Amino acid sequence: AQKVTQAQTEISVVEKEDVTLDCVYETRDTTYYLFWYKQPPSGELVFLIRRNSFDEQNEISGRYSWNFQKSTSSFNFTITASQVVDSAVYFCALSPRSGGGYQKVTFGIGTKLQVIP
Amino acid sequence: DTGVSQNPRHKITKRGQNVTFRCDPISEHNRLYWYRQTLGQGPEFLTYFQNEAQLEKSRLLSDRFSAERPKGSFSTLEIQRTEQGDSAMYLCASSFLSAPSYNEQFFGPGTRLTVL
């Protein structure tokens, strides 16, 4: 069984503040993928990142950075200098690695981020 | 360059009626997925196709639900005898699988179903 826990249901920050969204996962699979998706008010899920379970190197993309720690089963997401356009629901997700890629993705409940101008 | 499209975007129906949704994946994507998202929750996997073959179905997909992808291109999701608990956003995603590389699942805008 797979499970993704996002303990923060809602976060509010003032523009330009840094914010970290927490994600803890459970899986029995030895190889798997972790993801973050963004769902703005328009509703369409936007892919942000995929991380392989064997690659614990942290990643930075512009104002976004991700911290993967296998020892604590966590995959946290930090937005630096937040902007109003970052306001959305963010989902952490998990999928077992299967053959060529992945299929069934298990999502967390989501963290609603509100950036106040 | 067009993304995944879904029709209709909104559907309101009365309990007991049948509804059908359509998903058009990104051109040349050979995998297609259906997810359901209820209010305040994350998406839940329902089923997926590789070309025209339906390879996995979730336990969430009761006998009232049927999905098809007859020619390996667009897909339809039908719900028979709708119940109020079926009210949700139905999301479609597609991806391209070609060993050794593969692409991410890209999601459509969803069809929001309201059962009265």
Side-chain angles (χ1 to χ4, degrees), chain A residues 33 37 39 44-45 47 50 91 100-105 107-109, chain B residues 31 33 35 37 40 42-43 45 48 56 97 102 104-105 107-109:
Chain A
Y33 293 109
Y37 284 86
Q39 190 172 44
E44 194 159 339
L45 276 168
F47 168 82
R50 169 176 49 84
F91 292 98
Y102 63 95
Q103 295 88 41
K104 177 181 175 180
V105 182
F107 287 81
I109 195 172
Chain B
R31 284 189 168 176
Y33 312 80
Y35 290 82
Q37 185 177 18
F45 172 83
Y48 91 96
E56 185 172 350
L97 173 67
Y102 54 91
E104 310 305 336
Q105 291 184 25
F107 283 79

Side-chain angles (χ1 to χ4, degrees), chain A residues 22-91:
Chain A
D22 298 331
C23 173
V24 175
Y25 64 92
E26 296 175 32
T27 181
R28 294 179 182 174
D29 296 295
T30 54
T31 56
Y32 49 90
Y33 293 109
L34 294 162
F35 310 81
W36 276 95
Y37 284 86
K38 174 182 180 180
Q39 190 172 44
S42 60
E44 194 159 339
L45 276 168
V46 177
F47 168 82
L48 296 178
I49 188 172
R50 169 176 49 84
R51 171 63 69 203
N52 296 336
S53 56
F54 50 82
D55 180 5
E56 290 193 64
Q57 196 169 23
N58 292 329
E59 184 161 342
I60 299 174
S61 176
R63 296 184 298 107
Y64 295 169
S65 63
W66 292 270
N67 184 335
F68 175 30
Q69 292 195 349
K70 207 168 180 178
S71 59
T72 56
S73 298
S74 64
F75 186 43
N76 297 337
F77 173 28
T78 298
I79 302 175
T80 304
S82 59
Q83 300 176 2
V84 173
V85 293
D86 295 328
S87 297
V89 179
Y90 290 86
F91 292 98

